[in-house]
Amino acid sequence: MKPNLTLSLSAILLYLAQSLDANTTYTAQPPPLGSSQNTQEANEATNSTQALDSYMLNQVSAFARKNAQLDSLNRNTYTLDKSQIIDKGYTSSTNIFQYMPFVWLNDTGLGSNIDLRAQGTRANTSVQVLVNGVPSNMLDSSHGVTPINTLSPYSIETIEILPGGGAVIYGNGTRGGVVSITTQQRYQSLFLSAGVSYSNIIASTGNNINADVKLGTKFRSDTRTPIYVSLGAAYIHRGGPRAGDLTQGAQANGSLAIDFSDKASLDFSLDYFAGSIKTSPNNSFQITPNPSRDDRTKAGYGSLHNIQHRLDASLGLVANLTQKSKLDVRTFFHLNRIDYVDSITNIASFSYGRASLDNVSANQNNSFFDDKKAGVITKYNLNHTNGRFIAGLESIYNRGDRTMNQHILWEGSVQMQPMTVTKYDHTMNIPFQGSK
């Protein structure tokens, strides 16, 4: 229920009326001797004071509506629902967080992490991002980027922001806060929606298209074990700030939930994304020493092409142990992988010994980022006479792999006494693997 701010004005107006009544009292001065006319005027003034009446003003209320919801436990929670996302016309999920309160985006160079309460470079490990209850933060804290860009803005049902404080109920890695993104909900009857949006903004060189469809229904509604089914799909076509920037991808999600009377509930959810991201390296002042405004949209010196896959799956059981206590057990799996399939950076000037080599290429094909996570989260909730008690236990295994393959190649002719160099060929392979 959306909170209303009510301001009662009756007490204030009553106070003003009483003050007015007190300030309108006239004091009769003693008349000078021998002045019957002044005595008569003083008596009339006294009678007029007694003739004043007091009136009780009717109550007046003013309402200020705030289009947000507050969680019953975390008073500083901010919630954004699907209707608000559609009304704003966001072109990407990252774009949503640029305009949300409490939220900053920390750009790592490979993408942006959501930041709450000024975590800075530690936002990836201090702000927990959940997609349908599944933690999505990458273990690689130096290069890892939480894959919020893989979510179509119109596939999101709700976004809940909990900056610090009560966010500890969501477990480890929530010092800065929690961002909970939901793409599924239960439908009490047959529901079908489909939509497509198009935009072309000044800051983009390409067209932005978002298309989505969602189907939801409820089976066995006349029994004590109803079944809820939801299926959705989305398509992303998004240009970027420079020529050649293009992100294309498809997202599919679904959920199945079964209620066992009022004793327990079992649910399963799945969200998958596959996409292609094309861009180019940052431009260099060595190539364009004096860039103009038109140079801002020019492609960089090279081409970068990545393939990304994301998978979030969870299975949960909620059991009402008593009327006041509840047990929530959830298992999950998360995968986020980025492969460099056609990524070449052209280097304008490369130093080799005392020589400067022009038109050097750095090939990063077969480099990749891979993040896998699996675990179990258990939470016990008890509402007692004096408040609320919550206890939780989580067991999570997280493994991160990163490999940088780089092949630097130059061919030409340069004099390096006492010889002539015609080729420079250097290959690097830097693997990284971590787990916790």
Side-chain angles (χ1 to χ4, degrees):
M1 179 177 179
K2 299 180 180 178
N4 293 327
L5 177 63
T6 304
L7 302 176
S8 179
L9 303 182
S10 59
I12 298 175
L13 295 176
L14 179 60
Y15 172 76
L16 292 176
Q18 292 174 345
S19 299
L20 180 63
D21 185 21
N23 292 333
T24 54
T25 302
Y26 298 92
T27 303
Q29 300 293 334
L33 294 176
S35 176
S36 60
Q37 181 179 359
N38 291 340
T39 302
Q40 182 179 0
E41 292 177 354
N43 292 334
E44 292 177 356
T46 302
N47 294 335
S48 64
T49 301
Q50 296 174 351
L52 291 175
D53 294 330
S54 299
Y55 293 95
M56 176 66 70
L57 300 180
N58 295 329
Q59 181 176 348
V60 178
S61 300
F63 299 92
R65 296 188 180 277
K66 182 179 179 183
N67 206 12
Q69 297 178 349
L70 295 178
D71 182 80
S72 59
L73 182 64
N74 300 280
R75 296 300 177 183
N76 57 346
T77 301
Y78 182 86
T79 301
L80 191 71
D81 61 26
K82 188 180 185 69
S83 62
Q84 294 169 285
I85 295 174
I86 295 176
D87 290 343
K88 293 292 184 180
Y90 295 112
T91 59
S92 69
S93 296
T94 303
N95 191 225
I96 297 174
F97 292 99
Q98 290 176 332
Y99 296 96
M100 290 192 71
F102 317 122
V103 178
W104 292 264
L105 291 178
N106 181 31
D107 196 337
T108 65
L110 299 174
S112 298
N113 282 315
I114 299 176
D115 189 359
L116 299 176
R117 301 177 68 226
Q119 302 302 304
T121 57
R122 299 182 179 180
N124 181 56
T125 57
S126 300
V127 178
Q128 185 73 269
V129 179
L130 306 173
V131 178
N132 296 324
V134 178
S136 300
N137 302 64
M138 292 186 68
L139 180 62
D140 188 347
S141 58
S142 60
H143 293 78
V145 176
T146 306
I148 56 175
N149 64 312
T150 63
L151 293 166
S152 169
Y154 299 117
S155 70
I156 298 174
E157 294 291 342
T158 59
I159 299 177
E160 192 176 24
I161 305 292
L162 297 88
V168 293
I169 65 173
Y170 289 91
N172 187 34
T174 59
R175 179 179 60 195
V178 175
V179 177
S180 180
I181 303 173
T182 304
T183 63
Q184 300 295 331
Q185 69 169 335
R186 294 186 175 192
Y187 296 96
Q188 298 297 326
S189 59
L190 181 62
F191 174 86
L192 175 63
S193 70
V196 61
S197 67
Y198 168 84
S199 64
N200 193 328
I201 58 178
I202 297 175
S204 174
T205 62
N207 300 319
N208 295 285
I209 301 173
N210 287 287
D212 71 286
V213 60
K214 177 155 289 189
L215 172 66
T217 189
K218 178 182 180 181
F219 297 102
R220 303 180 61 178
S221 56
D222 55 345
T223 68
R224 295 176 59 85
T225 57
I227 301 175
Y228 303 86
V229 178
S230 175
L231 298 173
Y235 171 72
I236 300 173
H237 179 104
R238 184 167 59 244
R242 296 179 299 172
D245 289 354
L246 178 62
T247 298
Q248 291 179 298
Q251 178 185 353
N253 53 65
S255 67
L256 174 67
I258 305 175
D259 288 340
F260 301 96
S261 66
D262 57 349
K263 298 297 183 181
S265 176
L266 184 69
D267 66 88
F268 172 77
S269 67
L270 181 73
D271 196 294
Y272 175 72
F273 171 86
S276 168
I277 304 170
K278 294 182 179 180
T279 183
S280 56
N282 294 328
N283 287 315
S284 171
F285 286 105
Q286 292 179 326
I287 302 174
T288 311
N290 299 304
S292 64
R293 173 175 289 187
D294 294 336
D295 291 327
R296 298 178 182 178
T297 59
K298 289 184 178 179
Y301 199 31
S303 63
L304 303 176
H305 183 198
N306 303 333
I307 299 296
Q308 184 168 5
H309 297 270
R310 176 188 57 81
L311 174 66
D312 293 294
S314 69
L315 177 65
L317 173 66
V318 179
N320 296 315
L321 304 180
T322 64
Q323 291 184 348
K324 295 184 178 182
S325 63
K326 180 172 65 176
L327 180 66
D328 189 341
V329 180
R330 184 165 302 276
T331 64
F332 66 87
F333 175 77
H334 167 76
L335 166 68
N336 182 32
R337 183 179 177 92
I338 302 175
D339 290 286
Y340 289 61
V341 295
D342 185 15
S343 300
I344 299 176
T345 301
N346 297 319
I347 305 173
S349 179
F350 184 82
S351 297
Y352 175 57
R354 291 175 294 176
S356 180
L357 309 180
D358 297 330
N359 300 319
V360 179
S361 66
N363 191 325
Q364 298 185 66
N365 290 348
N366 300 320
S367 299
F368 67 88
F369 291 90
D370 187 274
D371 189 84
K372 296 184 180 72
K373 188 182 302 182
V376 179
I377 300 176
T378 304
K379 188 185 303 181
Y380 174 74
N381 194 323
L382 172 65
N383 292 312
H384 54 86
T385 305
N386 298 322
R388 188 175 181 181
F389 173 76
I390 298 176
L393 176 67
E394 63 177 15
S395 177
I396 299 175
Y397 176 75
N398 195 180
R399 174 172 171 169
D401 294 278
R402 167 169 40 104
T403 296
M404 187 186 77
N405 293 317
Q406 187 157 272
H407 180 206
I408 301 176
L409 178 64
W410 170 84
E411 293 180 327
S413 178
V414 64
Q415 292 294 327
M416 294 184 64
Q417 298 297 333
M419 60 181 179
T420 300
V421 178
T422 59
K423 185 177 182 180
Y424 177 84
D425 193 334
H426 181 66
T427 300
M428 291 183 291
N429 180 269
I430 305 175
F432 166 83
Q433 185 181 101
S435 61
K436 73 172 184 178

